[in-house]
């Protein structure tokens, strides 16, 4: 593998800090990633398993994976800002919408996702944070921003692209989690398989806000105490960029795997509209392929091409 460009002042090539990542961190990261993917496949192909319990377990593994990968590259203070911003913004927006209908629409959470903070399960903030981290790295790869410290227009471009990556994920799974599995219920239903179109504008706004907060923070943070001004804690090898992209890709497996299994079942949304489970999963498979998986392909291409320099 060719060494990436060492000119750290220009963020168009991946970073190469002098310190390699410890082997133990590499192993832990990949074990967690494999555990998440295997668990997701098992949960999706075995609908008889309690979906709420499996969702909680999978998202605990996902956020742990994000933390381990993040701590091996970002400083603890940077990650603290990210997680605090996500938890505050997500919980404020979710609780506000449940009470007023803005920004997502009128809905409520069932008991499937465990204990709540006010009207929102604690697990929801964790889900936002975990998925958001991987969407952020995918956005960096798509925009070819390899430096941890954002510069100039990168401060606004990366959060914007990351918000689209997150919205794509919600497009690929919300009707499954709500209309089919009833982890939350849209009281008035909606034209997108029981989900109101308003939800995605609210979702995009919410995730953009906390991504933008993090982007502004990273634009004002100097490099860590390492010789290269990119400031990564350890050397960012090709696999360190590809791993988050693969996890983001795997996050979109639920609809395609469900579509492969087929179903004759029908479900009813919060407004009483009946939907075919097969139609929902087949349609969301197309959405996944041409959004999440397309973004993943673009990101992989950029990483591979950058490491050939």
């Amino acid at each position: 593998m060719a060494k990436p460009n060492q000119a750290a002042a220009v963020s168009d090539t991946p970073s190469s800090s002098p310190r390699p990542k410890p082997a133990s961190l590499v192993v832990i990261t990949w074990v967690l990633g494999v555990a998440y993917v295997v668990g997701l496949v098992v949960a999706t192909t075995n609908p008889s398993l309690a979906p709420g319990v499996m969702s909680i377990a999978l998202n605990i593994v996902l956020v742990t994976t994000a933390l381990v990968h993040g701590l091996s590259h970002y400083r603890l203070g940077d990650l603290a800002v990210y997680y605090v911003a996500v938890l505050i913004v997500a919980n404020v927006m979710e609780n506000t919408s449940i009470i007023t209908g803005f920004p997502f629409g009128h809905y409520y959470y069932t008991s499937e996702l465990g204990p709540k903070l006010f009207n929102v399960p604690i697990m929801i903030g964790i889900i936002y944070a975990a998925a958001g981290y991987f969407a952020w790295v995918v956005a960096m790869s798509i925009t070819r921003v390899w430096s941890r410290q954002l510069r100039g227009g990168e401060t606004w471009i990366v959060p914007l692209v990351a918000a689209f990556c997150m919205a794509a994920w919600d497009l690929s799974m919300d009707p499954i989690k709500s209309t089919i599995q009833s982890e939350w219920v849209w009281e008035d239903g909606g034209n997108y398989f029981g989900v109101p179109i308003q939800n995605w504008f609210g979702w995009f706004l919410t995730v953009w806000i906390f991504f933008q907060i993090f982007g502004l923070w990273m634009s004002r943070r100097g490099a860590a105490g390492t010789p290269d001004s990119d400031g990564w804690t350890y050397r960012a090898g090709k696999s360190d960029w590809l791993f988050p992209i693969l996890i983001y890709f795997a996050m979109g497996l639920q609809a395609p795997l469900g579509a492969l299994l087929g179903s004759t079942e029908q479900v009813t949304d919060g407004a009483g509209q009946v939907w075919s489970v097969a139609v929902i999963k087949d349609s969301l498979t197309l959405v996944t392929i041409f959004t999440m998986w397309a973004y993943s392909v673009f990101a992989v291409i950029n990483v591979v091409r950058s490491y050939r320099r």
Side-chain angles (χ1 to χ4, degrees), residues 187-253:
E187 297 179 61
D188 302 319
N191 291 334
Y192 190 74
F193 307 113
V195 183
I197 302 302
Q198 173 188 347
N199 171 59
W200 284 281
F201 292 98
W203 178 273
F204 185 87
L205 173 65
T206 299
V207 299
W208 174 79
I209 289 173
F210 63 67
F211 281 139
Q212 191 59 68
I213 291 171
F214 186 56
L216 289 168
W217 171 262
M218 294 311 299
S219 71
R220 287 161 172 74
R221 289 289 278 172
T226 55
D228 68 322
S229 62
D230 278 353
W232 300 104
T233 306
Y234 297 108
R235 179 181 304 145
K238 182 162 62 174
S239 64
D240 294 302
W241 288 99
L242 292 177
F243 176 83
I245 299 170
L246 294 175
I247 295 298
Y248 177 79
F249 181 94
M251 285 163 50
L253 281 172

Side-chain angles (χ1 to χ4, degrees), residues 127-272:
I127 293 171
Y128 270 102
Y133 174 78
F134 295 109
W136 177 266
V137 180
V138 169
M140 291 183 71
S141 300
I142 290 174
T143 56
R144 301 177 64 83
V145 175
W146 308 118
S147 171
R148 192 201 57 183
Q149 183 180 11
L150 303 183
R151 301 174 175 91
E154 297 170 354
T155 305
W156 308 97
I157 294 170
V158 175
L160 182 66
V161 175
F164 276 108
C165 291
M166 277 287 277
W169 178 56
D170 194 48
L171 273 169
S172 75
M173 64 83 183
D174 199 306
I176 294 176
K177 295 294 186 180
S178 58
T179 306
I180 296 176
Q181 296 180 353
S182 298
E183 292 183 6
W184 54 88
V185 176
W186 295 99
E187 297 179 61
D188 302 319
N191 291 334
Y192 190 74
F193 307 113
V195 183
I197 302 302
Q198 173 188 347
N199 171 59
W200 284 281
F201 292 98
W203 178 273
F204 185 87
L205 173 65
T206 299
V207 299
W208 174 79
I209 289 173
F210 63 67
F211 281 139
Q212 191 59 68
I213 291 171
F214 186 56
L216 289 168
W217 171 262
M218 294 311 299
S219 71
R220 287 161 172 74
R221 289 289 278 172
T226 55
D228 68 322
S229 62
D230 278 353
W232 300 104
T233 306
Y234 297 108
R235 179 181 304 145
K238 182 162 62 174
S239 64
D240 294 302
W241 288 99
L242 292 177
F243 176 83
I245 299 170
L246 294 175
I247 295 298
Y248 177 79
F249 181 94
M251 285 163 50
L253 281 172
Q254 191 167 14
L257 287 177
L260 287 175
L261 293 175
S263 176
T264 58
E265 185 182 358
Q266 291 187 318
V267 290
T268 304
D269 65 22

